Amino acid sequence: MGVFLMRAAAEFDNSGKSPVPIWLAGSLFIVMALGILYSFSKQVPVIKISPAGIYFKSLFRDQHIDWNEIDSVSYTGKEPLRFILRYPMEAIRMTLNSGKKVVIFYEYYSNSHLLKQFIDSHLRTAKPPLVTEDHQPSAFDMSDELFRVYKGHPFLSMRGVFIWGFFLILSVPVFRGGRIHEKSVLPLLSMFSLWYLGNGYFCHYIRISDNYLQIRNYYLPWIRRSFLLSDVTEIVIETKDKWPNCIRIITRSHRSRLYPAGTLNDSDWKELMDEFRSKGIRVRNECVY
């Protein structure tokens, strides 16, 4: 936008009109873009781990922390990401011997579980880790399990109303006048498909047995993720801006996965949290009261 306004200002200048307001607006957009780039690069740097310590490289600043400088590390919890506004995100929080705090917003790193494993192993043993992965339960493993289901209602929830209400609205021009308007079918079907997929993603539900935890989705039945309960170390109930309430599952391998569950009501969430606590799993409630 800034470059576009600068070019427009140049054309105004050539035509003899005053380009000053456009120059100012273009300059403001460019300064804002550079500020956003600087802020993001500073808070989400490239990270390299070596036997000597951790190396952070951003666009304008480099930092190296020796292993013996680190006093303590917390691998889960929210920290404010200062990006236009302060936005809480899951992060690794390292406290140095000097008292300074170093924050890594690990959701921006695709291999964040390996990053946590390497940091944890170096601090405990001064050696690279033997990389661990979570157990992947099969349908056969869970065939004899009795599951308790927390799911709400797929049609009467807000997301269900959004999906099917939008479908009814789109159906009006297709069947207008008692006949099908063929030219309307393909574009409206495309619109509904995108709307269905987008809102369907927010409709996960949870199944728990004595040994397993399973995440499924009402509207996207191919989404199915299973966990061995003994692998689960922490459950976070949270939300994001316009999102519904979500469940974050953190495991022994330091993997962190987030699943929106827009069909559950508050009583479902409270009962679900009580069940996790009864199984000795730590629960962090950030949005259900």
Side-chain angles (χ1 to χ4, degrees):
M1 178 62 74
V3 173
F4 172 78
L5 290 173
M6 288 294 192
R7 294 183 62 181
E11 293 178 4
F12 265 77
D13 196 19
N14 292 335
S15 65
K17 299 178 181 179
S18 174
V20 173
I22 303 177
W23 277 113
L24 292 175
S27 300
L28 178 62
F29 273 106
I30 290 174
V31 170
M32 287 175 60
L34 291 175
I36 291 171
L37 180 63
Y38 170 75
S39 176
F40 186 81
S41 174
K42 180 181 178 181
Q43 296 183 91
V44 189
V46 175
I47 299 174
K48 295 181 180 179
I49 293 179
S50 72
I54 308 175
Y55 179 66
F56 299 88
K57 182 177 178 59
S58 64
L59 197 60
F60 303 101
R61 186 172 69 98
D62 296 348
Q63 181 183 10
H64 182 270
I65 299 174
D66 291 334
W67 293 115
N68 57 17
E69 291 184 64
I70 301 173
D71 178 59
S72 63
V73 179
S74 174
Y75 297 100
T76 64
K78 293 289 192 298
E79 287 289 334
L81 176 69
R82 296 172 179 82
F83 185 63
I84 303 178
L85 299 174
R86 292 166 63 93
Y87 189 77
M89 294 193 68
E90 284 289 309
I92 302 169
R93 183 173 56 256
M94 295 188 294
T95 303
L96 306 185
N97 296 328
S98 63
K100 181 181 178 182
K101 184 171 68 174
V102 177
V103 175
I104 301 173
F105 295 100
Y106 66 77
E107 291 186 78
Y108 286 105
Y109 300 88
S110 60
N111 59 346
S112 63
H113 68 294
L114 297 178
L115 173 64
K116 295 177 188 178
Q117 288 185 36
F118 269 79
I119 293 173
D120 186 49
S121 180
H122 271 287
L123 291 176
R124 288 189 298 104
T125 67
K127 296 179 181 179
L130 295 174
V131 176
T132 59
E133 293 292 344
D134 301 319
H135 177 71
Q136 299 295 319
S138 66
F140 178 77
D141 293 332
M142 299 180 289
S143 58
D144 295 328
E145 295 290 315
L146 180 62
F147 284 91
R148 292 168 292 283
V149 183
Y150 298 86
K151 60 181 181 179
H153 201 289
F155 301 105
L156 299 181
S157 65
M158 185 176 71
R159 294 292 165 179
V161 171
F162 277 0
I163 291 174
W164 300 112
F166 189 66
F167 173 75
L168 292 175
I169 293 172
L170 290 181
S171 299
V172 173
V174 176
F175 298 101
R176 187 176 61 249
R179 61 190 182 89
I180 297 176
H181 294 257
E182 296 179 356
K183 293 182 178 180
S184 303
V185 172
L186 185 59
L188 293 178
L189 184 61
S190 300
M191 289 174 61
F192 176 69
S193 297
L194 293 173
W195 183 261
Y196 179 93
L197 292 171
N199 281 278
Y201 172 73
F202 293 106
C203 296
H204 293 89
Y205 65 93
I206 298 105
R207 303 172 78 234
I208 303 179
S209 73
D210 290 338
N211 300 297
Y212 297 96
L213 165 64
Q214 190 174 69
I215 304 295
R216 292 188 179 184
N217 189 291
Y218 274 119
Y219 294 109
L220 310 177
W222 59 87
I223 295 180
R224 184 173 297 190
R225 179 74 188 182
S226 301
F227 302 86
L228 193 63
L229 277 176
S230 58
D231 282 340
V232 179
T233 58
E234 186 175 2
I235 294 292
V236 186
I237 309 302
E238 62 180 271
T239 188
K240 289 176 175 285
D241 197 20
K242 304 296 184 181
W243 285 35
N245 293 341
C246 309
I247 180 170
R248 181 182 297 278
I249 302 169
I250 302 173
T251 60
R252 294 188 187 281
S253 69
H254 290 293
R255 287 189 181 273
S256 175
R257 298 179 176 89
L258 187 70
Y259 301 96
T263 61
L264 276 69
N265 57 41
D266 285 357
S267 61
D268 294 324
W269 285 113
K270 291 175 182 178
E271 187 177 346
L272 178 64
M273 288 188 285
D274 287 341
E275 178 152 6
F276 281 124
R277 292 186 183 108
S278 71
K279 297 181 182 300
I281 297 173
R282 180 188 174 193
V283 176
R284 184 156 33 105
N285 176 18
E286 298 181 347
C287 62
V288 178
Y289 302 104

